[in-house]
Amino acid sequence: MLKAIILEDEVKGLQNLRTQLRQHCKNVEIVAEARSIAECKDLLQDEKLEIDLAFMDIDLPDGLVFSLLEDLPTINFEIIFVTGHNQYALKAFDFASIGYIMKPIDPEKLIQSVSRVMPKQDNQMEQRMEVFKDSFNNPKGLGGKLTISALDGMYFINFSEILRFEAEDNYTHIYKTNGEKITVSKTLKAYEKMLHGLNFYRVHKGHMINMHHIDRFVKGDGGYIVMEDEKKIDVSRRRRGPFMEALKNMHTTI
């Protein structure tokens, strides 16, 4: 069983989440509830209270929940934010690999978020919150860092360190500029959506590249890219025109 607390100021929201957890997530036991940051802080300071998971609204009557998290000496539990926040917050959650569900709550999304919780593991939540705060406070630059929840652990990587992404079924291999390879159980399509608007481009169904790390583009039948690690990557016919335009625009901006 996952022992959980709920931080939610709206009575209907609290009741709805409680009901959905009991119906769809029978492995979650609600051990405490709070209606404000102050009340939740008192709960979390109780040494007898042991939790694996916290469902937290962002906007509370006495401020944003992030102020509560910053005051905690350690965050040794997983967090799922329950939010109606804007797109920048949602992208920041993705970058930090922090769970969230939108209001009104979709039962399937709730089940998926809970299923990803791994109790009793080092969740590195402090570092993940740092990535989130950087992204949330700098929506145009989006912090420049990504949290990677990989098969062998968690990584915190600057965008500039990412050379390219390569798909393999439902896995993605992330290649860094130092030669390191990280394998993640997330599709390339998910990373394409997450990094949309930044200097990453999906040039082929199996490849997405960091355009800052292209060594050269070789013209020919379809053409191909040579990355800084000398990896040759084909550019699909249907993506070649838009890719060349994106490449042109990037160099115009620089």
Side-chain angles (χ1 to χ4, degrees):
M1 293 290 290
L2 294 172
K3 294 182 178 181
I5 64 168
I6 299 175
L7 172 57
E8 170 62 73
D9 66 302
E10 296 179 357
V11 175
K12 288 185 178 179
L14 179 61
Q15 292 174 340
N16 179 48
L17 178 54
R18 186 195 299 139
T19 299
Q20 294 225 37
L21 286 169
R22 287 172 179 168
Q23 288 179 347
H24 305 293
C25 303
K26 298 186 184 300
N27 63 322
V28 175
E29 177 189 1
I30 303 169
V31 296
E33 297 173 353
R35 300 283 301 279
S36 68
I37 289 174
E39 188 178 350
C40 190
K41 187 174 183 179
D42 288 341
L43 282 174
L44 294 174
Q45 288 177 339
D46 183 355
E47 295 180 356
K48 296 180 181 179
L49 181 69
E50 295 184 2
I51 62 170
D52 304 299
L53 174 61
F55 295 92
M56 292 183 163
D57 193 1
I58 292 179
D59 293 304
L60 284 304
D62 48 349
L64 295 177
V65 71
F66 310 126
S67 64
L68 164 66
L69 298 174
E70 288 174 353
D71 286 344
L72 297 177
T74 58
I75 308 175
N76 56 359
F77 51 87
E78 195 69 26
I79 300 172
I80 296 176
F81 288 104
V82 185
T83 179
H85 241 276
N86 62 40
Q87 60 177 330
Y88 294 127
L90 303 186
K91 182 152 284 193
F93 287 136
D94 284 334
F95 284 179
S97 193
I98 294 175
Y100 66 88
I101 46 179
M102 294 291 294
K103 297 179 179 179
I105 297 172
D106 180 343
E108 287 299 318
K109 295 292 185 182
L110 178 62
I111 293 168
Q112 289 175 13
S113 296
V114 171
S115 69
R116 296 191 183 103
V117 176
M118 302 295 290
K120 312 306 179 188
Q121 289 193 1
D122 181 8
N123 61 15
Q124 296 180 275
M125 185 56 73
E126 286 91 348
Q127 295 96 317
R128 289 155 68 189
M129 284 303 303
E130 284 299 319
V131 174
F132 171 81
K133 285 190 295 182
D134 286 345
S135 299
F136 185 74
N137 293 328
N138 300 282
K140 293 184 178 180
L142 291 171
K145 185 172 283 191
L146 193 63
T147 300
I148 304 293
S149 183
L151 299 180
D152 60 343
M154 197 163 287
Y155 297 81
F156 301 90
I157 307 175
N158 292 318
F159 290 154
S160 60
E161 297 177 276
I162 300 173
L163 190 67
R164 57 190 175 88
F165 298 79
E166 184 174 343
E168 183 180 358
D169 298 323
N170 289 323
Y171 294 89
T172 299
H173 304 296
I174 302 171
Y175 292 86
K176 295 177 61 180
T177 53
N178 64 2
E180 185 179 6
K181 182 177 82 169
I182 302 169
T183 299
V184 186
S185 58
K186 183 178 287 189
T187 64
L188 182 57
K189 184 176 181 179
Y191 281 110
E192 179 184 21
K193 181 179 179 181
M194 188 188 306
L195 297 170
H196 178 74
L198 301 176
N199 289 307
F200 293 87
Y201 202 94
R202 191 170 182 177
V203 296
H204 186 276
K205 66 179 181 180
H207 297 277
M208 184 167 70
I209 63 167
N210 185 337
M211 296 175 70
H212 285 304
H213 293 303
I214 297 173
D215 183 70
R216 60 190 181 276
F217 177 75
V218 179
K219 296 180 179 180
D221 185 17
Y224 63 89
I225 297 162
V226 180
M227 300 299 292
E228 289 178 355
D229 64 350
E230 294 301 316
K231 171 71 176 179
K232 296 180 181 179
I233 299 174
D234 291 331
V235 180
S236 68
R237 288 182 179 275
R238 73 180 183 87
R239 298 174 193 264
R240 182 176 182 181
F243 167 69
M244 294 302 293
E245 187 66 24
L247 192 63
K248 178 182 176 182
N249 291 337
M250 187 186 77
H251 285 290
T252 299
T253 303
I254 292 174

